[in-house]
Every structure is written in C-alpha cells, then in structure tokens.
Amino acid sequence: MIAEVLSRVRACMREEGVSYYLISSSDEHASEYVGDYDKTSLWLSGCSSDNVRILISQTKALLWTDGRYFISAAQELENSEYVLMKSGQTGVPSLCDYLDVSLKEGDCLAYDGRTFSYAEGLQYHNLAEKQGCELNNRFAPQDRLWIDRPNRASHPVIVLKEDLTGESYADKLSGVRAAMAAKGADQLILSKLDDIMWLLNIRGADIACNPVALSYFWLTDRGAFLFLQKSEITEELRTYAREQEITLEDYNETFEILSGRLADSAAKDPDSAMTGDQKPIKLMLDPRSSSDAMVSLAASCLGAENLILAANPTEMMKAVKNSVEISHIREVYLQDSVAVCRFIAYVKKHAREGNLTELSAARYLEGLRAELPGYLDLSFETICAYNANAAMAHYAPTKDDCARIEGRGFLLVDSGGQYLGGTTDVTRTICLGELTDSMREDFTTVAVSNLRLLFARFMEDCSGMVLDAIAREPLWERHKNFNHGTGHGIGYILNVHEGPQVIRWRDRIPEDRTSFVPGMITSDEPGMYIEGQYGIRTESITLCVEDCVNEYGRFLCFEPLTYVPIDLEGLKPEQMDASDIDKLNRYHKMVWEKISPFLKGEDLEWLKQATGPVCA
C-alpha cells in the first residue's frame, strides 16, 4: 500500500518537475495533533508519529522524527523503503543539513506551504536560493491522489461563560490591541487554534482530545472576523458573535476572502484619505504558527515590508492563568488525582489475576474519569504500556496490539482528561511484582529527578533550560538521559501541550528561553527507557507560584497540582540522599491529606500504605 502511494507521488513529482518533495505531519495551523483529514504523513509513510518531516526523491524516502518516537517509528517503517532519521542523534544530519548537501543547481524543492510554518518555510526558501534551485510551495499531490481521504471534522462550537474563563473576550481583546499597538501593528491574523479559542472564549471538537475548532481570526482597527466551517455555527454562537461585534465568515473561503480584503485595505485607507496622509497597513503574524502560504498571501497583498512578524500576543497571555482559572484547575486536578489513585489501587489488586490487558486497564481509567463532574473527553490517547512497550514513549494500546498485564515488572500509564474547568495530564509507573536491581535503580533515579524539580526554588526570570538541569542531574550523574523534554505548558480546557514555556536543556528556539511566571501550569516528567525491556516516567503537574521576595530578589517555586503516590515498591532508599527522602515524604504527606477524604475501604488502605514514610 505505502509502496503504491509512493509510486503515485513520484509520478506526480516527475510530471511537475519536482526533484525533492517535503511533507510535514502538521496542518494549516501548526497543530501538534491533527485531524484525520490532515494526516498526510501517515497516508504517505504509515508512520503515526506526531512530529514528522518526510523527504521524497525519485530514489530515496527519508523520515525524520524525535526521540519520543524512535522505537515506534522503526517498527512502523519496517519492510518499507523509508529510512528513519533519528533527529538529534550523533551522525544524523538535520533535514536542512541534508538538503544543503543534496540540492543541486536546477533542482526543484517542493512542499505544501499550507502545512509548513513561515519560519520553517523560510529555511527552505533560503536553501533553494543558496543552491540555485527552484522552490514550489504550492505542491500538494495529496489533494488529488489521496482517494479515500477522510472529510474535515466539523462539530458545533460552544461558548464558555465568564465564571469559567475569569475574563471576558472584550477584556482579552483590549490586551491584544495594546500588544499590537506596542509593535506598531494595525491588524492581526491568528492561525493557531488554541490561541483563537482562548481569545474568543469558545471551544470546539475538530481534533481528537483537543477542544478546538478549525478557524482563523482576523483583527483589524475596525472589526473582528472569525472564519469557521458553516456547519459549526450554532444559534448560541451567532448571538454571541453579534453581541461581541465579531463577523462570522466561511472557513473554506479564508484565503479568498483575505486576499480580496487585504488588497482593498492596502489600496485605500478612507480615514487618511481626508488628510492626504496615506499610511500603509501594518499586519502582525506569528512566523511560527502562521503558514508559509498565509504569510505569502499577506506579503503579496500588503508588501513584505508591511508585515510585522512576531509572537502571537495571545500566547503569553494564555499561558499565565488567572485566579478564576487556577481555582477551577486546582479542583479539577484534585478530582482527577482521586480517579488515578483509585485506578492504581485497582491495578495493584487485579494485575496478578492475569485478566487485565493494557487496553482494558486504559478503558477502566477512562471510565473513572467519565464519572467526574464536567468531564468532556480524554486530553490525549491514554498511554498504558506494560514492560517493553513502555520503552516507546508514546505507545498506546489498540484492540489488535495489546499486551496482557502480569504480576511482574512495570506498567507505565500516562493519561489525562478534558473537563469544564481544566485539562489534566499525569504519569505514574506502577510496580507489579518482581523487579531487578537495575529496574529499581532506574525507577529511583527518575523519582529523585521528579522530586528535585517539584521542590525547586528559583529566581524570577529563570528559563526552563535552568530548571531542566535540576531535573536531569541525577540521571546525568549516572551517565543516563531521556530523549524528550522534561516539561511542557498545559492549556485550560485546551491543548495538553501549550507554550511558550518549556523545560528542556537544548537552546534551539525562542521558547527555550521563556522565563517562568507565576500562573504558568507546567509538567514535570523525567523518564528512563530501556529498549526491549521497560520504560519509566513519573509526571506531576505544577503551578508556578511566588515563594518569597527578599533583599536578593523574587524567588519562585512550584505548587503540585497532581496528588498521586510514587510507587514505594520500586524505590531503593539507600540510593537516595536524606534530602530526597524528605522531599518524597513531604509529597506523600500532601497526597494523603488531599486524597484520603475521598477514598474508603480497600482504596483508602492502599493509599495509607502507598504514602507511608520512608526511612533513610
């Protein structure tokens, strides 16, 4: 099947004179997770990873992905002609480095500019120019070759009340306009779906587990325009849009409408015409989330010199949660933690019976969450991975690929829910019996890593690069590491992965240097993965809060939002420093105090043992 698709794509390349064809796993909105309609990389390669770049020539098929997917991608690409390029690994060139030495004068490099950000597309423009190559950013063979392509998802949009959001659209809009003015911008186009949802206080369901609607938002000095699929517009939304003076437009005509209206606004500004002082329109776009095609359109209408390329002003505003959001988040995480604790007690009791599978366990946990007030959906597909399967950081069981859980080794469960009141994410590695000494050493190292970051105190203006070193030091001391970030921001009834703050040690993009601010919600999730044997990850979600202010400056720290025990059966206390044991006992004391009022019977007895004090 994949070989046939590749053959048809290569024929299309020959017809249009394309030497190299680039494909991304993203959509028009720089989304991490995409709907079935936009899974072009899966259709073309069979690889289900969420971070993929593919390069096709007449003789080669190369696929780049990151460390979260090395194992699963290798399995999915087996017996195909694809070569897996493990991004960031020694001896593996980046996509740009590969193109730099492969492109020759007269070649044509092509891609669909709708599915690459402007920032990424600019790299390919520069490479093509450097090598004397033609560049085609309108090459989209999937539009005519993908015969059984799914339809775009379409679901009714809901409007959130202010008692959930804590801030009105009008108030948020005022902050956005102030940020635009500071940059000298008259207009703004938002392409990033969660930014649009946050600003307008609406939610959708067009991408699984992500409560967003496919949309664009155009803000001018005279009005606001929301582009949505017509089938998603409810009477509630029509009324709300009318009250907020938002004009609803057809999503499928976004580029056509913008092309005409941007050109018209550039041609004549009626206010300045009265004085003869005609000023050009300045349009603001985020180069990381606006597509290459969108920026190209804007540049052709207004002139590249009139574009202001800067981060969406919504991004940082969205990342710093307000007091109402934080109040809801604390309650949601408490209830979600209760469900996870009940789940672990259930697994501990029944694993040795041999009747549990990865899939049945995942569904049991989903059922517990579905009982909670305000439950909407999962926040991502549950990762329930037993022993060797857990070495694949983003493995998820299916009906046809599912391991039976036995009374030995590790069960790694990474899961979360979407609620009217918050978005949750938590990982615990459950010990199910016999463990080797090396397994316990690795488990303990990961636990110490998690706890040191959880209890860290740090100066204001610290970035995630500083905090990452705190978390990784216990692993690096043992000459070990894990191939994913230590922490990511989390949305509010929105995407489970949110920026701009991140916790990782590599300095690659501006987000890596984002300073932490009170109100940010961030994960703390170190791990250890031994291919073919087991995987370990311990993830708690944190709220950044002020610790103290003194003569040395302002200190910040993390408040835990997750209250789920770290499995004592996997620990080697003799491997832990006294300060690390103290952190563990302090955390477990909090877990007991928060969770015990909600449990009873065997579940309560399990929690009592699971949070008991550990001695050095």
Side-chain angles (χ1 to χ4, degrees):
M1 177 63 179
I2 298 301
E4 180 184 345
V5 173
L6 270 173
S7 177
R8 292 165 61 202
V9 166
R10 282 173 170 149
C12 188
M13 291 169 61
R14 289 192 296 271
E15 289 172 11
E16 300 197 27
V18 171
S19 311
Y20 292 93
Y21 170 38
L22 280 173
I23 304 95
S24 86
S25 54
S26 191
D27 59 11
E28 296 184 22
H29 308 277
S31 303
E32 177 184 14
Y33 302 116
V34 302
D36 291 343
Y37 175 87
D38 290 299
K39 293 182 178 179
T40 306
S41 61
L42 176 62
W43 165 72
L44 188 52
S45 70
C47 179
S48 61
S49 303
D50 297 314
N51 181 22
V52 162
R53 295 295 181 271
I54 294 172
L55 183 65
I56 304 294
S57 70
Q58 293 298 326
T59 59
K60 292 184 179 180
L62 310 177
L63 184 146
W64 280 260
T65 192
D66 64 62
R68 296 172 297 169
Y69 302 107
F70 288 167
I71 300 173
S72 58
Q75 293 177 354
E76 290 173 329
L77 298 178
E78 191 175 7
N79 299 323
S80 77
E81 70 169 278
Y82 275 93
V83 176
L84 176 61
M85 309 294 282
K86 297 181 178 180
S87 297
Q89 297 300 289
T90 302
V92 178
S94 68
L95 173 56
C96 283
D97 286 342
Y98 183 89
L99 285 171
D100 194 33
V101 299
S102 299
L103 286 174
K104 301 293 185 292
E105 186 174 356
D107 283 344
C108 176
L109 175 64
Y111 58 88
D112 182 355
R114 298 170 300 180
T115 61
F116 285 85
S117 71
Y118 171 75
E120 185 173 353
L122 184 60
Q123 299 178 65
Y124 307 135
H125 279 268
N126 291 339
L127 275 170
E129 183 177 6
K130 174 186 174 184
Q131 304 294 0
C133 297
E134 180 186 349
L135 188 134
N136 177 355
N137 67 350
R138 296 186 177 184
F139 187 64
Q142 70 273 16
D143 288 350
R144 59 189 176 95
L145 298 182
W146 192 351
I147 298 170
D148 56 349
R149 187 176 194 174
N151 294 325
R152 277 199 176 99
S154 177
H155 300 85
V157 170
I158 64 171
V159 180
L160 299 183
K161 304 301 183 184
E162 201 169 326
D163 60 355
L164 270 178
T165 65
E167 193 175 5
S168 69
Y169 161 71
D171 289 339
K172 292 179 179 181
L173 187 63
S174 177
V176 168
R177 287 196 182 278
M180 290 169 58
K183 293 284 189 180
D186 306 299
Q187 301 185 5
L188 169 72
I189 293 178
L190 293 178
S191 299
K192 196 162 181 285
L193 302 180
D194 58 333
D195 281 24
I196 297 169
M197 300 297 104
W198 174 85
L199 174 59
L200 275 68
N201 288 337
I202 60 177
R203 297 295 187 269
D206 289 347
I207 297 177
C209 304
N210 293 261
V212 296
L214 295 172
S215 54
Y216 289 96
F217 184 70
W218 180 35
L219 182 63
T220 75
D221 51 353
R222 295 184 186 82
F225 303 85
L226 174 62
F227 297 82
L228 281 172
Q229 296 181 84
K230 289 182 178 180
S231 55
E232 301 191 321
I233 300 173
T234 64
E235 283 306 310
E236 178 192 35
L237 180 62
R238 286 187 191 279
T239 301
Y240 175 73
R242 186 166 54 250
E243 292 171 349
Q244 303 300 328
E245 299 181 333
I246 301 168
T247 301
L248 299 175
E249 301 283 6
D250 187 353
Y251 175 85
N252 295 313
E253 298 177 6
T254 300
F255 279 72
E256 181 181 350
I257 292 172
L258 284 175
S259 177
R261 293 184 186 173
L262 285 174
D264 288 345
S265 65
K268 196 69 175 177
D269 182 340
D271 288 349
S272 59
M274 299 295 293
T275 63
D277 182 21
Q278 178 73 32
K279 294 181 180 179
I281 297 294
K282 297 292 184 179
L283 173 64
M284 188 174 181
L285 305 105
D286 189 331
R288 302 160 304 161
S289 59
S290 299
S291 69
D292 190 38
M294 178 62 76
V295 176
S296 295
L297 169 67
S300 68
C301 294
L302 302 177
E305 70 278 7
N306 293 317
L307 304 186
I308 297 173
L309 300 176
N312 287 337
T314 46
E315 188 172 42
M316 181 59 80
M317 296 167 64
K318 172 167 54 72
V320 180
K321 277 49 179 179
N322 62 48
S323 59
V324 172
E325 291 172 323
I326 290 171
S327 176
H328 286 297
I329 288 167
R330 285 188 174 120
E331 179 60 28
V332 161
Y333 267 90
L334 178 60
Q335 295 298 326
D336 191 82
S337 294
V338 171
V340 176
C341 286
R342 291 175 61 196
F343 168 74
I344 296 176
Y346 173 85
V347 170
K348 287 278 193 178
K349 179 179 179 181
H350 294 284
R352 290 177 175 84
E353 298 172 359
N355 296 322
L356 276 181
T357 67
E358 294 168 328
L359 190 59
S360 67
R363 287 176 174 170
Y364 183 82
L365 177 54
E366 182 178 350
L368 292 175
R369 283 197 166 99
E371 296 173 0
L372 299 178
Y375 176 79
L376 299 171
D377 194 1
L378 299 177
S379 58
F380 56 95
E381 188 176 12
T382 299
I383 299 167
C384 187
Y386 182 57
N387 284 340
N389 287 338
M392 295 179 277
H394 277 222
Y395 166 88
T398 65
K399 183 178 180 180
D400 298 324
D401 185 10
C402 176
R404 184 168 298 280
I405 297 170
E406 301 172 355
R408 58 182 177 81
F410 292 134
L411 177 68
L412 186 156
V413 183
D414 187 349
S415 65
Q418 294 283 5
Y419 304 88
L420 282 175
T423 300
T424 68
D425 185 8
V426 55
T427 309
R428 286 296 183 266
T429 304
I430 306 168
C431 303
L432 296 178
E434 181 183 350
L435 302 175
T436 66
D437 198 54
S438 61
M439 292 171 78
R440 294 178 68 227
E441 285 179 0
D442 287 343
F443 186 94
T444 303
T445 302
V446 171
V448 168
S449 174
N450 171 274
L451 290 164
R452 288 190 185 178
L453 180 57
L454 185 65
F455 285 94
R457 289 181 170 86
F458 48 96
M459 295 295 297
E460 184 177 32
D461 293 330
C462 269
S463 73
M465 293 176 63
V466 174
L467 299 174
D468 189 82
I470 296 173
R472 287 189 196 258
E473 193 273 339
L475 288 97
W476 287 350
E477 185 179 5
R478 294 173 174 269
H479 301 122
K480 295 188 175 183
N481 196 29
F482 52 92
N483 286 319
H484 58 73
T486 302
H488 58 83
I490 296 174
Y492 176 71
I493 326 177
L494 273 175
N495 299 358
V496 74
H497 292 164
E498 178 182 277
Q501 81 277 18
V502 291
I503 302 177
R504 58 188 179 213
W505 60 272
R506 287 191 175 98
D507 183 8
R508 297 179 294 186
I509 56 177
E511 289 95 326
D512 295 331
R513 297 184 291 279
T514 299
S515 297
F516 271 69
V517 175
M520 287 180 168
I521 309 292
T522 314
S523 69
D524 165 9
E525 51 179 310
M528 186 85 73
Y529 310 95
I530 310 300
E531 184 172 355
Q533 298 182 49
Y534 56 86
I536 301 162
R537 185 160 63 252
T538 301
E539 177 187 26
S540 299
I541 308 307
T542 67
L543 168 66
C544 183
V545 297
E546 182 176 279
D547 185 28
C548 75
V549 178
N550 60 21
E551 66 272 24
Y552 298 104
R554 188 186 192 202
F555 288 82
L556 306 179
C557 64
F558 291 126
E559 171 192 323
L561 294 171
T562 302
Y563 294 102
V564 178
I566 296 171
D567 201 326
L568 299 180
E569 293 182 35
L571 291 174
K572 290 185 68 176
E574 64 273 21
Q575 184 182 319
M576 303 170 70
D577 295 341
S579 61
D580 295 322
I581 291 177
D582 177 65
K583 291 180 178 70
L584 175 69
N585 288 335
R586 286 161 57 197
Y587 176 67
H588 277 173
K589 184 174 184 292
M590 287 188 281
V591 172
W592 171 257
E593 291 171 350
K594 292 281 188 180
I595 303 300
S596 60
F598 298 93
L599 299 183
K600 58 185 179 181
E602 292 181 341
D603 290 347
L604 182 62
E605 182 58 32
W606 165 80
L607 184 70
K608 184 176 182 180
Q609 296 179 15
T611 57
V614 172
C615 299

